[in-house]
Amino acid sequence: MSKIGMIQHIEQGSVTLPKGFHAGGLHCGLKRKRKDLGWLYSEQPAVAAAVYTTNAYQAAPLLVTKDSIAVEQKLQGVLVNSAYANACTGQPGLDDAYDMRRLIAEKWGVPEHLVAVSSTGVIGERIPMDKLKAGIAQAVQPEHQGVEHFEEAILTTDTCTKHYAVQLEVDGRVVTIGGAAKGSGMIHPNMATMLAFITTDACVEQTYLLQALREVTDQSFNMITVDGDTSTNDMVLVLANGQAIHHPLSPPHPDWDLFKTGLAVVSRELAKQIARDGEGATRLIEVQVKGAPSEQVAKAVGKAIIGSNLVKTAVYGKDPNWGRIVCAIGYSGQVFNPEQVQVKIGPVTVVDQGLPVPFNEAEASAALGEETVTIEVNLNQGDGKATAWGCDLTYDYIKINALYRT
Amino acid sequence: MSKIGMIQHIEQGSVTLPKGFHAGGLHCGLKRKRKDLGWLYSEQPAVAAAVYTTNAYQAAPLLVTKDSIAVEQKLQGVLVNSAYANACTGQPGLDDAYDMRRLIAEKWGVPEHLVAVSSTGVIGERIPMDKLKAGIAQAVQPEHQGVEHFEEAILTTDTCTKHYAVQLEVDGRVVTIGGAAKGSGMIHPNMATMLAFITTDACVEQTYLLQALREVTDQSFNMITVDGDTSTNDMVLVLANGQAIHHPLSPPHPDWDLFKTGLAVVSRELAKQIARDGEGATRLIEVQVKGAPSEQVAKAVGKAIIGSNLVKTAVYGKDPNWGRIVCAIGYSGQVFNPEQVQVKIGPVTVVDQGLPVPFNEAEASAALGEETVTIEVNLNQGDGKATAWGCDLTYDYIKINALYRT
């Protein structure tokens, strides 16, 4: 546990660290061997807010979740399956999603509208509901409880589970924010096949919880890219069950900003874990853009760089080919003066005032070999800044994706 | 030679098939072994029109070429080097580009403003001008003349030369349009590291030549993508020297549409050759979108599909993962009704009315193994249509780009 300002970072923390949350998962046969059905449950109804994919095709579980939250902006639990996305499955798929919701609600003994559902996996194939039902029937058994089971059950091609938590004080009481996520393929700004579940025992007004979630999502989950494909199933869901007992949080509350920062930290750390575990990735790339005429320009430039296959392969090859970085800045579609641009690869300045400067190739190449590769761009034209995260593009990306379905 | 309507297709034709054009190329030491300096020359000044990259960074040779054309909208020749892009090279690079222009103009004995220059290769390194000068000194020697030398000299990571020509009749006289191009890396809509040179012995008014070039470029070179990166050096240049002798072409001329179609055919065929030879590519992908509310929507949908790494890897793996196609349509940012979409892979319908339909996997997989893979999308919502071209994403793309510079 480390402390930054008033926020305690708990790297191994997850969605059950906040008071009153429980989670579990099991293998019900959707995948061959690994866990494929997970759930998250709050002892009491929690204020709920969510953001969803911008894809024109939205998977059935998203519609059902929206339907649930619409009733009283609260949820008590969420059921997640992997292996099947339940997207492009029409009315039968929508019926399946409602069935999922009903079955787990009955098992938990809570109203259906307090339950959300979520799916990730192959598009266009229906979930084998008999297997899913058998799984739900076992969901309350003690041996399947445990947050590590939940974290595993939501994965697809991910190579590791993803979680993070922070603690901070509100009205002098400890508030915890915890998160778990899955990512790997189809990761791109604006919600990709990426699921993130964030829990907190804070007491927050729904309107402001949603507003805060949108803000932090734009600076975290929407700033990562693995392959530029935005999926049909993305969702970030936050549940606040109020068990920490304090004055409800909203902007006038003196600890509101601290809470929002805590939410931002959890979101950013989950987003980085997702980017680092991109399909076939060996390294996390962090692009820091500053000196932009606006935040919007900084974001667009960061995303153009992090989305460039040529930059991604150069990182994989530890090749300090700064020309590709400059080129990506150039086609980002933003207005800036190319002659003021500075680019650094790790600590090594490679471009200054828009022109290459002599640099130590070995040093730059070494910076590209770090576990986290930092590319810093200064447009020297304002105060706008943004950070984007992604990963290198490798042989394994091709291997995974040329043969994923068959 | 095949005949389509009134247009004769000459697959082996190139830029010297139209009357009065000559070309050549040689090795001057910019590359280790292969030819790296090429030129194209018209016996008399030709009406010239060009379109350039939309990248904010425009390479020095583009500025010099614009400068030349601005004087009297005519050119008599163009000098092209490969291996060095002469981009992000500042004032010294610009001086180099003007030197290139001056030296070849002197060699040819024509005014400087009748000469264009073009470069392709690594960004940010200055061209070794001593080698280039030695090359220019030999440019008029007979052994270096020949269009095949020109076509080779302009290549970078291309695996083959690219050319096409057509013939048609204007005022009852034979008019020829020929083209040569290079592509391979950084190919994306809106001019990527892609150079195309088109010649014709037609007599065309400059305003209309430029207008026609822009139109056909939007339906050909701007509809291909290899990796989504738009380069600093792209240019499509057309030269019309009028040696076919006929009434000047402009929209009122009865053969104007035929000429424009000829120009479109040459552009499209060159664009397809570029896409097919994308870095590491094994197959050409042609995405046909129809039934769109507008041409603009059709283009955006086509580009989203052809630009998807997941679609490209699925083609490489011959995996009929139509979900990725549907997903790309969904994130194209266009307004359409997902429930009316039909998708075909080759002859195999895989999605109808937005939902998957049972299909023969082996047949669909075979269609993905064709030399040219066709993906057809019908939005069933209007008359808008467009075609986009690209290639599969393979291990070799990673290999080539992880280690290109070092």
Side-chain angles (χ1 to χ4, degrees):
Chain A
M1 193 190 294
S2 64
K3 189 166 180 171
I4 296 177
M6 302 287 284
I7 293 176
Q8 303 274 349
H9 286 237
I10 304 161
E11 288 186 18
Q12 293 310 315
S14 187
V15 285
T16 53
L17 195 63
K19 291 194 192 87
F21 286 98
H22 305 275
L26 53 77
H27 172 253
C28 74
L30 305 181
K31 289 180 189 163
R32 241 168 304 173
K33 282 188 174 179
R34 291 179 302 138
K35 296 193 179 70
D36 45 27
L37 186 66
W39 54 87
L40 176 59
Y41 180 81
S42 169
E43 291 167 2
Q44 55 197 73
V47 168
V51 288
Y52 308 91
T53 184
T54 56
N55 197 302
Y57 289 93
Q58 297 210 339
L62 273 60
L63 305 178
V64 174
T65 294
K66 285 179 185 177
D67 195 16
S68 286
I69 294 179
V71 180
E72 49 175 325
Q73 288 80 52
K74 285 190 176 176
L75 289 176
Q76 196 157 355
V78 53
L79 182 69
V80 190
N81 77 276
S82 52
Y84 294 86
N86 197 5
C88 300
T89 44
Q91 187 61 44
L94 191 59
D95 293 343
D96 292 342
Y98 276 112
D99 279 352
M100 276 177 73
R101 182 177 79 158
R102 180 177 47 78
L103 291 165
I104 192 73
E106 282 169 8
K107 202 75 193 167
W108 285 334
V110 300
E112 286 187 49
H113 73 264
L114 289 181
V115 175
V117 289
S118 177
S119 301
T120 176
V122 170
I123 294 173
E125 293 179 18
R126 284 185 62 193
I127 301 171
M129 288 300 286
D130 50 338
K131 292 179 180 171
L132 192 88
K133 283 175 192 169
I136 292 172
Q138 300 177 61
V140 293
Q141 290 175 12
E143 69 268 29
H144 300 309
Q145 312 309 315
V147 72
E148 66 283 7
H149 301 315
F150 171 73
E151 290 176 10
E152 279 175 51
I154 64 177
L155 306 182
T156 52
T157 50
D158 303 68
T159 67
C160 58
T161 59
K162 295 160 185 73
H163 48 246
Y164 207 81
V166 298
Q167 287 186 325
L168 46 93
E169 285 191 8
V170 174
D171 295 342
R173 299 187 62 110
V174 173
V175 157
T176 307
I177 305 172
K182 64 85 51 180
S184 212
M186 268 200 203
I187 302 300
H188 193 56
N190 303 317
M191 303 288 97
T193 297
M194 182 199 80
L195 299 176
F197 304 96
I198 299 173
T199 57
T200 178
D201 44 23
C203 176
V204 197
E205 290 181 27
Q206 204 271 344
T207 313
Y208 300 111
L209 185 63
L210 180 58
Q211 184 188 301
L213 178 65
R214 284 184 176 148
E215 261 179 62
V216 305
T217 297
D218 275 346
Q219 296 173 353
S220 55
F221 300 111
N222 285 346
M223 290 305 288
I224 58 175
T225 187
V226 168
D227 55 18
D229 284 38
T230 301
S231 116
T232 51
N233 286 57
D234 308 327
M235 181 167 75
V236 179
L237 179 66
V238 55
L239 302 179
N241 69 6
Q243 294 205 9
I245 316 287
H246 53 75
H247 292 293
L249 284 163
S250 68
H253 193 295
D255 295 322
W256 171 249
D257 284 343
L258 184 64
F259 172 77
K260 247 178 58 177
T261 304
L263 190 64
V265 167
V266 170
S267 299
R268 190 180 65 224
E269 293 303 320
L270 292 176
K272 284 167 69 174
Q273 289 178 43
I274 289 170
R276 186 188 295 275
D277 193 31
E279 284 175 341
T282 65
R283 296 195 271 292
L284 175 71
I285 308 175
E286 176 168 309
V287 177
Q288 300 164 355
V289 181
K290 58 184 184 182
S294 69
E295 186 188 345
Q296 176 264 331
V297 171
K299 281 183 175 175
V301 167
K303 285 182 184 181
I305 296 169
I306 210 75
S308 161
N309 278 358
L310 288 171
V311 170
K312 289 151 66 78
T313 46
V315 170
Y316 177 51
K318 297 183 205 170
D319 176 2
N321 193 326
W322 57 267
R324 296 180 182 175
I325 300 169
V326 165
C327 187
I329 300 170
Y331 66 68
S332 64
Q334 302 305 311
V335 176
F336 65 94
N337 181 355
E339 291 173 15
Q340 287 176 257
V341 174
Q342 186 189 54
V343 179
K344 289 170 79 173
I345 296 175
V348 186
T349 301
V350 291
V351 172
D352 201 19
Q353 298 191 303
L355 294 176
V357 292
F359 64 91
N360 184 321
E361 291 261 341
E363 206 182 332
S365 182
L368 291 172
E370 297 283 333
E371 208 179 299
T372 298
V373 174
T374 307
I375 295 172
E376 188 188 307
V377 173
N378 191 338
L379 298 182
N380 285 306
Q381 283 151 71
D383 295 324
K385 59 182 182 173
T387 304
W389 296 275
C391 58
D392 53 345
L393 178 60
T394 72
Y395 291 109
D396 279 351
Y397 177 85
I398 309 293
K399 189 172 171 184
I400 293 164
N401 285 300
L403 302 165
Y404 177 54
R405 206 179 67 124
T406 49
Chain B
M1 192 188 299
S2 64
K3 190 164 178 172
I4 296 179
M6 302 288 285
I7 293 176
Q8 303 273 350
H9 286 238
I10 304 159
E11 288 185 17
Q12 293 308 317
S14 187
V15 283
T16 51
L17 195 64
K19 291 195 191 87
F21 286 97
H22 305 276
L26 53 76
H27 173 253
C28 73
L30 306 181
K31 289 181 190 162
R32 241 167 305 173
K33 281 188 172 178
R34 291 178 302 138
K35 295 192 179 72
D36 46 27
L37 186 66
W39 54 87
L40 176 60
Y41 180 81
S42 170
E43 289 167 4
Q44 56 196 72
V47 168
V51 288
Y52 307 92
T53 183
T54 55
N55 196 302
Y57 288 93
Q58 296 211 339
L62 272 61
L63 304 179
V64 174
T65 294
K66 285 179 185 177
D67 194 18
S68 286
I69 294 179
V71 179
E72 49 175 324
Q73 288 79 51
K74 285 190 177 176
L75 289 176
Q76 196 157 354
V78 53
L79 182 69
V80 190
N81 76 275
S82 52
Y84 295 86
N86 197 5
C88 301
T89 44
Q91 187 60 44
L94 190 59
D95 293 344
D96 291 344
Y98 276 112
D99 279 352
M100 276 176 73
R101 182 176 81 159
R102 181 177 46 78
L103 291 165
I104 192 72
E106 282 170 8
K107 202 76 194 168
W108 284 336
V110 300
E112 286 186 49
H113 73 265
L114 288 181
V115 175
V117 290
S118 177
S119 301
T120 177
V122 171
I123 294 174
E125 293 180 18
R126 285 185 62 192
I127 302 171
M129 287 300 285
D130 50 338
K131 292 179 180 170
L132 192 89
K133 283 176 192 167
I136 292 172
Q138 299 178 61
V140 292
Q141 290 176 12
E143 70 267 29
H144 300 309
Q145 310 310 314
V147 72
E148 65 284 6
H149 301 315
F150 172 73
E151 290 176 12
E152 280 175 48
I154 65 177
L155 305 182
T156 52
T157 49
D158 303 69
T159 66
C160 58
T161 59
K162 295 160 185 72
H163 49 246
Y164 207 82
V166 298
Q167 287 186 324
L168 46 93
E169 284 190 9
V170 174
D171 294 342
R173 300 187 62 110
V174 173
V175 158
T176 306
I177 305 172
K182 65 84 54 180
S184 214
M186 268 200 203
I187 303 300
H188 194 57
N190 303 315
M191 303 286 98
T193 299
M194 184 198 78
L195 299 176
F197 304 96
I198 300 173
T199 56
T200 179
D201 44 23
C203 175
V204 197
E205 290 182 27
Q206 204 272 343
T207 314
Y208 300 111
L209 184 63
L210 180 57
Q211 183 188 301
L213 179 64
R214 285 184 175 149
E215 260 178 62
V216 305
T217 297
D218 275 345
Q219 296 174 351
S220 55
F221 300 111
N222 284 347
M223 289 305 289
I224 58 174
T225 188
V226 167
D227 56 18
D229 284 37
T230 301
S231 117
T232 52
N233 286 57
D234 308 326
M235 182 168 73
V236 179
L237 179 66
V238 57
L239 302 179
N241 70 7
Q243 294 206 9
I245 316 287
H246 53 76
H247 293 293
L249 283 164
S250 68
H253 193 293
D255 294 322
W256 171 249
D257 285 342
L258 183 65
F259 172 77
K260 245 178 59 177
T261 304
L263 190 63
V265 168
V266 171
S267 299
R268 191 180 65 224
E269 293 302 321
L270 292 175
K272 284 166 69 174
Q273 289 178 43
I274 289 170
R276 186 188 296 275
D277 193 32
E279 285 174 342
T282 65
R283 297 196 271 291
L284 175 70
I285 307 175
E286 177 168 309
V287 177
Q288 301 164 354
V289 181
K290 59 185 184 181
S294 69
E295 186 187 345
Q296 176 262 332
V297 171
K299 281 183 176 174
V301 168
K303 285 183 185 180
I305 297 169
I306 209 77
S308 161
N309 278 358
L310 289 171
V311 170
K312 290 152 65 78
T313 46
V315 170
Y316 177 52
K318 297 183 205 169
D319 175 2
N321 192 326
W322 56 267
R324 297 179 182 176
I325 299 169
V326 165
C327 187
I329 300 170
Y331 67 68
S332 64
Q334 302 305 310
V335 176
F336 66 94
N337 181 354
E339 291 173 15
Q340 286 176 258
V341 174
Q342 185 188 54
V343 178
K344 290 170 80 174
I345 295 174
V348 186
T349 300
V350 292
V351 172
D352 201 20
Q353 297 190 303
L355 295 175
V357 291
F359 63 90
N360 184 321
E361 290 261 343
E363 207 183 331
S365 182
L368 291 171
E370 296 283 334
E371 208 178 300
T372 297
V373 174
T374 307
I375 296 172
E376 189 188 307
V377 173
N378 191 339
L379 299 182
N380 285 305
Q381 284 153 70
D383 296 325
K385 58 182 182 174
T387 304
W389 297 273
C391 58
D392 53 346
L393 178 60
T394 72
Y395 291 108
D396 279 352
Y397 177 85
I398 309 293
K399 189 172 171 182
I400 293 164
N401 285 300
L403 301 165
Y404 177 54
R405 205 179 68 124
T406 47

